[in-house]
Amino acid sequence: MQVSVESTGNLERRVTLSLPAGDVEAQAGSRLREIAQNVRIKGFRPGKVPAKVIEQRYGGQVRAEIVDGLLRQALDQAVRDNELRVAGLPQVTPGEDAAEGELKYVASVELVPDFGELDMGKLEVVRHTAEVTDADIDRMLENLRQQRGSWNKVERAAKAGDLVNVETSSVIDGVRMPPEGAEKTSTVLGSAAIYPEVESAIAGMQPGEEKTIDVTLPADWHAAQFAGKTVTSTFKLIDVAEQVLPEVDAAFIRSFGVKSGDLEQFKADIRSNLERELKGALMNRLRREVSEQLVAAYQDVELPPRLVESEANALQANAAEQARRQGQQLTAGTEAFMDAARKRVLVGLLVGEVARRNELRLEPERLNETMRLIASTYEQPQQVIDLYRNDPQLMQGLQNRVMEEQVTDWIAERAKHTVKALSFQDAIGQ
């Protein structure tokens, strides 16, 4: 195979690969004969399938696999021989001027930029700290009680914490919504799920009572034609229910998987879960701190354009999927995500460069610890661990995450940093 490399830009190389078509045919013939000996096709005895049938069924796939393997091998060799540091996946297309009996392909390769000196000491990072307190555990216990609580209807005035069912209708610019009847809605007073003016008006109402109030819509209201306008809303309180919380007894504790039903063991489990959540939240904060500092320090570095565009496409696709799940439609194009994509690509390349220059290696103990922490959130932890170990794609993603955290810690330790203590609630609030 003949290989040539030429520069087409500061961060791009054009690699041309040519190989004799005869070499591919020779390998394909050998592979197809092996297939013919073992394949089972209905209507033919094993080993007696005609070569023409084998060719029709498997010829194209076999040749594609052979060409792909040869190109990958040649491209890897060209990268090593020319000491190219590749960023992202090469873009391979068929060549247009292949000679007779020749297969030609062109690979467009983007390179990691030259970041110059990487002085982490000039970065200024805030490292947040926090700890789980007994009050945090008690708060979580109360949240669990509320999750398992029930609602009992009461015949009294509504107050904060009650679940209320309401029928509503509104008039805006002389238009009634809905045109007929009323819309039914439910809310817990004090949850801020509806306008404060409406919540305040409902509080103190008796079941069956009706009120009409004026509400001014915010300037950023989702229906632009109504933004900032005053709505006259009429609502009728249908019924009121108060929450009844379960006792934290053995039965309640066992319902969360603590077989002993022991309160102290339950609290210990809650503490472990909260500490795991806190550790992740603090790492996310540190990652953001380090990322922001890296972006500020190296924002003028030229980046591989195709890699940035690919990242923007991925961000746009993720946003579109999230919108779809919420019953909405994303209207923003790829360009709206380019700035975020540039930052993500810049940080990703810098993290990789810091690891390379300082010969940082993935720490197996840290990888295993992270895997155990993830698995501990499931009912069958060992099954989750086995899943990661048997799925190369899942494991690669986990390894990338752990390596990024290692480098983030390494950078933060060498940067100028200050420590800021937070409460558990503030820390996980992100």
Side-chain angles (χ1 to χ4, degrees):
M1 180 178 290
Q2 296 181 348
V3 180
S4 64
V5 179
E6 58 181 313
S7 174
T8 54
N10 291 338
L11 298 177
E12 189 171 16
R13 300 293 181 269
R14 175 186 172 96
V15 182
T16 303
L17 308 107
S18 304
L19 64 154
D23 290 354
V24 175
E25 287 303 315
Q27 292 190 38
S30 176
R31 187 86 58 84
L32 290 171
R33 285 191 292 274
E34 291 178 6
I35 292 174
Q37 294 297 318
N38 302 296
V39 72
R40 291 182 177 275
I41 297 179
K42 188 175 182 180
F44 299 97
R45 288 181 294 163
K48 299 297 183 179
V49 182
K52 184 177 181 180
V53 175
I54 297 294
E55 172 64 34
Q56 290 175 340
R57 289 207 174 193
Y58 303 103
Q61 177 183 343
V62 165
R63 287 177 178 81
E65 291 174 352
I66 291 171
V67 170
D68 182 67
L70 291 173
L71 291 177
R72 188 182 300 110
Q73 183 179 9
L75 188 56
D76 288 346
Q77 188 63 49
V79 167
R80 289 193 296 271
D81 291 346
N82 291 271
E83 297 182 347
L84 303 179
R85 296 182 39 245
V86 178
L89 296 175
Q91 189 175 65
V92 182
T93 57
E96 297 179 354
D97 56 347
E100 184 177 354
E102 176 189 56
L103 297 176
K104 179 176 285 189
Y105 294 87
V106 176
S108 177
V109 179
E110 288 189 323
L111 307 180
V112 175
D114 181 7
F115 290 107
E117 181 185 8
L118 292 179
D119 181 11
M120 300 297 103
K122 65 182 180 182
L123 305 183
E124 296 182 1
V125 174
V126 177
R127 185 185 284 272
H128 295 91
T129 62
E131 62 179 19
V132 177
T133 66
D134 291 343
D136 296 320
I137 295 173
D138 291 339
R139 186 181 297 108
M140 177 54 67
L141 263 176
E142 189 63 21
N143 290 341
L144 295 176
R145 291 181 69 204
Q146 291 180 2
Q147 291 174 15
R148 297 292 177 89
S150 58
W151 296 95
N152 290 344
K153 287 186 179 181
V154 292
E155 294 297 329
R156 59 165 173 75
K159 62 180 182 179
D162 286 341
L163 174 67
V164 295
N165 289 309
V166 183
E167 289 183 349
T168 66
S169 63
S170 302
V171 177
I172 182 170
D173 287 348
V175 179
R176 188 182 191 279
M177 296 177 292
E180 296 181 357
E183 295 179 342
K184 294 183 179 181
T185 186
S186 300
T187 188
V188 176
L189 295 183
S191 65
I194 58 177
Y195 285 114
E197 300 95 323
V198 177
E199 279 199 347
S200 296
I202 294 175
M205 289 178 62
Q206 296 282 346
E209 188 176 348
E210 188 174 296
K211 271 188 181 180
T212 299
I213 64 171
D214 289 335
V215 178
T216 301
L217 298 178
D220 59 351
W221 185 246
H222 61 84
Q225 68 271 29
F226 299 142
K229 294 187 176 182
T230 299
V231 179
T232 300
S233 293
T234 299
F235 46 92
K236 179 180 180 180
L237 181 60
I238 304 303
D239 55 48
V240 179
E242 64 180 9
Q243 191 175 34
V244 179
L245 301 181
E247 294 296 325
V248 183
D249 54 18
F252 176 80
I253 294 171
R254 290 192 187 98
S255 70
F256 288 93
V258 181
K259 295 180 180 179
S260 67
D262 180 68
L263 178 59
E264 293 307 311
Q265 179 60 53
F266 190 32
K267 287 185 175 182
D269 290 350
I270 291 175
R271 180 180 292 277
S272 295
N273 291 335
L274 295 183
E275 287 176 345
R276 179 174 58 250
E277 182 180 2
L278 178 60
K279 182 177 181 180
L282 292 176
M283 174 50 70
N284 287 338
R285 284 178 174 274
L286 183 61
R287 187 187 291 114
R288 284 200 301 272
E289 283 281 336
V290 170
S291 295
E292 289 169 2
Q293 289 293 310
L294 290 174
V295 168
Y298 297 93
Q299 59 185 330
D300 296 328
V301 173
E302 181 182 3
L303 297 174
R306 197 169 64 246
L307 185 59
V308 173
E309 184 177 0
S310 176
E311 183 66 28
N313 287 332
L315 291 174
Q316 197 261 359
N318 288 338
E321 176 61 20
Q322 290 180 4
R324 185 192 66 79
R325 292 177 180 177
Q326 296 171 1
Q328 302 173 354
Q329 185 174 359
L330 182 71
T331 58
T334 302
E335 187 61 33
F337 298 87
M338 289 296 287
D339 185 57
R342 289 188 187 95
K343 292 179 180 178
R344 286 171 66 104
V345 169
L346 175 59
V347 172
L349 292 175
L350 276 166
V351 166
E353 186 68 358
V354 169
R356 186 188 70 84
R357 291 193 189 184
N358 295 280
E359 298 182 348
L360 303 181
R361 298 290 182 267
L362 182 67
E363 299 172 3
E365 291 183 2
R366 186 164 184 161
L367 176 66
N368 291 331
E369 178 188 3
T370 303
M371 188 162 49
R372 286 194 298 269
L373 286 173
I374 294 173
S376 67
T377 63
Y378 295 85
E379 292 185 4
Q380 301 293 333
Q382 189 57 47
Q383 290 184 5
V384 177
I385 292 174
D386 292 341
L387 177 63
Y388 271 91
R389 288 177 174 167
N390 295 323
D391 188 323
Q393 188 173 357
L394 271 179
M395 180 57 75
Q396 184 63 53
L398 181 61
Q399 289 173 341
N400 292 342
R401 167 186 162 182
V402 173
M403 191 65 208
E404 181 183 358
E405 291 179 357
Q406 278 184 224
V407 178
T408 297
D409 277 335
W410 189 93
I411 292 173
E413 288 171 0
R414 287 153 181 80
K416 300 173 184 176
H417 65 268
T418 56
V419 177
K420 181 178 180 180
L422 298 174
S423 68
F424 172 82
Q425 294 296 321
D426 289 340
I428 64 173
Q430 303 297 301

